[in-house]
């Protein structure tokens, strides 16, 4: 089964840019939409956005002005950039595959997240 | 913006049935999905397309929809089911993803 692994700094200064990458373990990065989801400490899940390798994307309206998601097919990676961060952006960040696959049948168009990374904690602090 | 509402907490004794609801002012025609998140771990999909169960998820997990409310039912709750549960859907155009606030299931 495909695995996702994030990488990036765990500490970002206020007003700077949070940058994370997620590596997809198999060669399927061109077949699905890829998403970022976050969870502030002690709180619920918040969808950040998703992107297809062709550039088709959707972002959470509350974050859209500060977020960019990109896909690098050559590296089997997709990335998140969140600009002008504040303490409110402190959270566990998850990368996830959008869609559902089972037994050789895949529903890539569904708004569901079937594969998640383990999550990485990012703290915004000076 | 579209919102999904869940009860903050549900408590049941082992062997009983737990029901966790998720409602929206105008539940869209989009499917609803359910995730289980154990403490310190990533969420795991337990129900997709309102009522379908992914492979590997125990049969005691089921989902249903009635009007503007969807329900996750866990029959014969076990201690290992203690976790946070989140419903998730999208707006009526299927453009923006939304999560419910989460429900903490406590097994007494």
């Amino acid at each position: 089964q495909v695995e996702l692994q994030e990488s990036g700094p765990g500490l970002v200064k206020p007003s700077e840019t949070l940058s994370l990458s997620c590596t997809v373990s198999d060669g399927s990065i061109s077949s699905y939409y890829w998403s970022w989801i976050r969870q502030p400490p002690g709180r619920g899940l918040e969808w950040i956005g998703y992107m297809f390798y062709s550039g088709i994307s959707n972002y959470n309206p509350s974050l859209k002005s500060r977020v960019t998601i990109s896909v690098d097919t050559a590296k089997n990676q997709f990335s998140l950039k969140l600009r002008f961060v504040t303490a409110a952006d402190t959270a566990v960040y998850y990368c996830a595959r959008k869609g559902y696959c089972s037994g050789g049948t895949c529903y890539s168009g569904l708004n569901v997240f079937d594969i998640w990374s383990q999550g990485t904690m990012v703290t915004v602090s000076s | 913006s579209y919102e999904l509402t869940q009860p903050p907490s549900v408590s049941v004794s082992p062997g009983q049935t737990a029901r966790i609801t998720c409602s929206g002012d105008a539940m869209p025609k989009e499917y609803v999905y359910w995730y289980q998140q154990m403490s310190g771990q990533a969420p795991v999909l337990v129900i997709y397309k309102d009522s379908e169960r992914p492979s590997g998820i125990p049969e005691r997990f089921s989902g249903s929809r009635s009007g503007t409310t969807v329900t996750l039912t866990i029959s014969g709750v076990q201690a290992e089911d203690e976790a946070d549960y989140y419903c998730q859907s999208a707006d009526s155009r299927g453009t923006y993803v939304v999560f419910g606030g989460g429900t903490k299931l406590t097994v007494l």
Side-chain angles (χ1 to χ4, degrees), chain A residues 10-32:
Chain A
L11 180 64
V12 182
K13 289 182 169 54
S15 81
E16 295 190 345
T17 296
L18 179 159
S19 296
L20 295 173
S21 293
C22 183
T23 300
V24 181
S25 64
D26 65 6
S28 64
I29 196 161
S30 300
S31 302
Y32 299 94

Side-chain angles (χ1 to χ4, degrees), chain A:
Chain A
Q1 158 162 307
V2 62
E3 294 183 349
L4 305 179
Q5 179 64 56
E6 315 101 333
S7 58
L11 180 64
V12 182
K13 289 182 169 54
S15 81
E16 295 190 345
T17 296
L18 179 159
S19 296
L20 295 173
S21 293
C22 183
T23 300
V24 181
S25 64
D26 65 6
S28 64
I29 196 161
S30 300
S31 302
Y32 299 94
Y33 286 80
W34 302 95
S35 186
W36 290 94
I37 296 159
R38 71 180 183 178
Q39 185 172 33
R43 299 183 63 182
L45 300 167
E46 180 180 32
W47 171 67
I48 298 172
Y50 58 70
M51 172 166 276
F52 195 59
Y53 81 100
S54 64
I56 299 172
S57 63
N58 275 315
Y59 297 114
N60 186 324
S62 69
L63 298 169
K64 185 175 182 178
S65 64
R66 297 194 292 132
V67 172
T68 300
I69 297 175
S70 58
V71 176
D72 186 335
T73 56
K75 294 183 178 179
N76 279 337
Q77 284 183 345
F78 61 105
S79 300
L80 169 70
K81 289 190 185 299
L82 179 63
R83 297 175 290 277
F84 308 115
V85 296
T86 69
D89 295 310
T90 293
V92 174
Y93 285 76
Y94 296 98
C95 54
R97 183 177 78 177
K98 178 172 119 42
Y100 176 73
C101 288
S102 178
T105 301
C106 291
Y107 305 94
S108 58
L110 292 180
N111 281 311
V112 62
F113 306 101
D114 68 339
I115 305 293
W116 294 64
S117 64
Q118 64 184 13
T120 188
M121 181 69 197
V122 179
T123 301
V124 178
S125 175
S126 55

Side-chain angles (χ1 to χ4, degrees), chain B residues 2-102:
Chain B
Y2 189 69
E3 295 183 356
L4 299 176
T5 301
Q6 299 179 234
S9 62
V10 169
S11 299
V12 295
S13 299
Q16 290 188 329
T17 296
R19 294 180 179 86
I20 300 172
T21 58
C22 174
S23 61
D25 287 342
M27 184 69 77
K29 293 183 178 181
E30 280 286 315
Y31 289 117
V32 174
Y33 310 93
W34 289 94
Y35 302 87
Q36 175 194 64
Q37 185 180 34
M38 294 189 174
S39 181
Q41 298 185 24
V44 172
L45 180 68
V46 294
I47 293 291
Y48 70 101
K49 292 175 67 177
D50 291 350
S51 58
E52 300 292 323
R53 194 173 52 252
S55 59
I57 300 301
E59 291 184 5
R60 63 180 181 274
F61 287 86
S62 63
S64 61
R65 175 192 286 258
S66 177
T68 59
T69 300
V70 292
T71 302
L72 172 68
T73 299
I74 310 171
S75 305
V77 166
Q78 301 180 6
E80 66 198 50
D81 299 330
E82 186 163 286
D84 294 324
Y85 291 85
Y86 293 90
C87 63
Q88 177 251 306
S89 187
D91 70 322
S92 57
R93 296 175 60 187
T95 302
Y96 302 121
V97 171
V98 61
F99 286 93

